[in-house]
Amino acid sequence: MTDSPHHDPDRIAGRLALLRRRALVGRGIRAFFDARGYLEVETPCAVPTPGEEVHLRVFRTEREHHDGTRQALFLHTSPEFAMKRIVAATGLPVFQLARVWRNAEGSHLHAPEFTMLEWYRPGATLSGLMDETEALLRAVLPPVVHRPGGLAAGAEIRIDASFERLTMEQAFARHAGLDLLPTEGDAGALAAAAGCALRDGEDWEDLFFRLLMERVEPAIGRDRPTFLTHWPASQAALARRDPADPRTALRFELYAGGIELANAFEELTDPVEQRRRFMADRERRAALYGAAPATAWPMDEALLAALDHLPPCAGIALGFDRLVMLAAGALRIGDIQWMG
């Protein structure tokens, strides 16, 4: 009897050194958060509301109750909603290594099922969360990591150097040669500033992300990790606007060696504003994908109710598999997943 492609012991054995590194990074993460007084939590994977991010596709399942009734459930795209409810109820700093699912994804950096490290710290600011994220990477990665391929092929990334911190405004000025924030919402103005033509149907957000991917991301995080901070207000998601400049949101993403590692917010605690953003996300998802997302799953009313009790805090989602890729010098996410 020959092994099927889904049972290949040689493939697992051949990657054992990488998989041992995965286990070591996981142990290092737990030790880091234990030492800082965090509580490790576990939240459900199958939930009534999987998230509201416009472009993420979800896995649908169904629960059969003992009385024969059925309930539509979805595999969560992030444990964020549930973890915020825990913080609101307890006021404690929490972390989780959560299995998450995102349908229709697959590349050397993407998998439909992967592990997300999320943590939330009451009282933390965006700057404080960057400090803590930098400390975590120093605790679990070698002082220098090497990228074998991708945008930073052959690069040495200094984890032991101070991480770069760039606002989105600074990054676009430096690497795209334009003043970003005055163009927000005006696709023509952004195209003119960038010296490029709008594609058919391309709006401001589409062009913003095209320029981010084509001009900014390849230029950052190459010799040391880079925090890209203070995103345009329209890209706030679940983050607070910056009181010092309401054109921007208190959000950062972390890049290293051509890999987007993390997305973080100084958390929005206003349920009215959060509901408005969720409704806007649903309308945009319907316009883009022709679905009826408002009826696909219910609004997470438990989260919205909890926001009234959520203390000021900052939270972050960090791709654990991508972190292991950096630690191990792996090129593909499947190389560091047990059954990848």
Side-chain angles (χ1 to χ4, degrees), residues 1 8 31 70 212 256:
M1 176 177 167
D8 184 352
R70 296 171 181 267
L212 177 64

Side-chain angles (χ1 to χ4, degrees), residues 30-337:
R30 286 190 164 92
F32 178 88
F33 286 109
D34 285 347
R36 287 173 174 249
Y38 278 78
L39 177 66
E40 184 171 7
V41 300
E42 294 177 286
T43 58
C45 296
V47 295
T49 303
E52 296 290 356
E53 209 285 336
V54 171
H55 300 290
L56 294 186
R57 303 280 294 276
V58 301
F59 286 88
R60 181 187 176 103
T61 186
E62 187 177 67
R63 178 183 177 186
E64 297 181 16
H65 292 275
H66 69 281
D67 61 0
T69 58
R70 296 171 181 267
Q71 177 188 15
L73 294 175
F74 304 85
L75 299 179
H76 66 180
T77 58
S78 162
E80 177 173 5
F81 291 3
M83 292 182 73
K84 285 182 177 176
R85 288 170 58 192
I86 292 173
V87 175
T90 66
L92 295 172
V94 298
F95 81 99
Q96 180 173 192
L97 283 162
R99 204 70 174 170
V100 299
W101 290 262
R102 298 180 179 183
N103 215 342
E105 292 202 355
S107 75
H108 71 290
L109 287 175
H110 296 84
E113 180 181 350
F114 60 99
T115 300
M116 187 80 83
L117 167 63
E118 294 208 15
W119 75 92
Y120 295 83
R121 187 170 193 94
T125 62
L126 203 69
S127 178
L129 187 60
M130 284 189 274
D131 292 341
E132 189 164 60
T133 304
E134 194 167 332
L136 172 67
L137 264 63
R138 288 215 181 92
V140 301
L141 293 179
V144 180
V145 296
H146 302 266
R147 293 297 298 134
L151 290 175
E156 289 190 349
I157 301 101
R158 303 290 315 195
I159 305 301
D160 56 357
S162 295
F163 292 12
E164 182 179 34
R165 301 187 183 191
L166 276 181
T167 67
M168 191 68 78
E169 185 177 33
Q170 291 168 334
F172 268 75
R174 182 178 303 176
H175 301 299
L178 61 91
D179 190 0
L180 175 68
L181 295 178
T183 74
E184 187 167 15
D186 187 336
L190 180 56
C196 66
L198 281 172
R199 296 171 178 170
D200 289 345
E202 192 170 42
D203 62 14
W204 184 91
E205 182 178 286
D206 296 329
L207 180 56
F208 162 74
F209 278 107
R210 174 155 68 99
L211 294 170
L212 177 64
M213 289 186 290
E214 291 179 356
R215 301 190 187 182
V216 177
E217 289 184 358
I220 62 176
R222 298 184 66 88
D223 57 355
R224 56 178 172 151
T226 298
F227 291 109
L228 193 55
T229 77
H230 294 79
W231 286 53
S234 64
Q235 306 305 310
L238 282 78
R240 296 174 56 228
R241 289 198 184 198
D242 184 356
D245 185 354
R247 298 177 303 167
T248 67
L250 293 172
R251 171 184 178 182
F252 73 71
E253 288 192 357
L254 174 62
Y255 295 83
I259 296 176
E260 177 202 327
L261 273 179
N263 186 25
F265 307 138
E266 196 167 312
E267 302 295 345
L268 180 66
T269 58
D270 180 348
V272 175
E273 172 63 14
Q274 189 63 78
R275 185 185 296 274
R276 184 195 68 76
R277 293 186 193 177
F278 282 163
M279 293 305 299
D281 288 341
R282 290 176 170 222
E283 291 170 6
R284 179 165 172 77
R285 192 159 55 242
L288 287 173
Y289 302 113
T295 58
W297 53 73
M299 187 73 74
D300 194 331
E301 297 294 346
L303 168 68
L304 292 171
L307 290 183
D308 266 334
H309 308 282
L310 185 67
C313 70
I316 181 168
L318 187 151
F320 173 75
D321 304 83
R322 293 182 179 186
L323 186 65
V324 176
M325 288 177 67
L326 278 180
L331 183 57
R332 292 172 294 275
I333 193 170
D335 290 339
I336 51 81
Q337 292 183 319

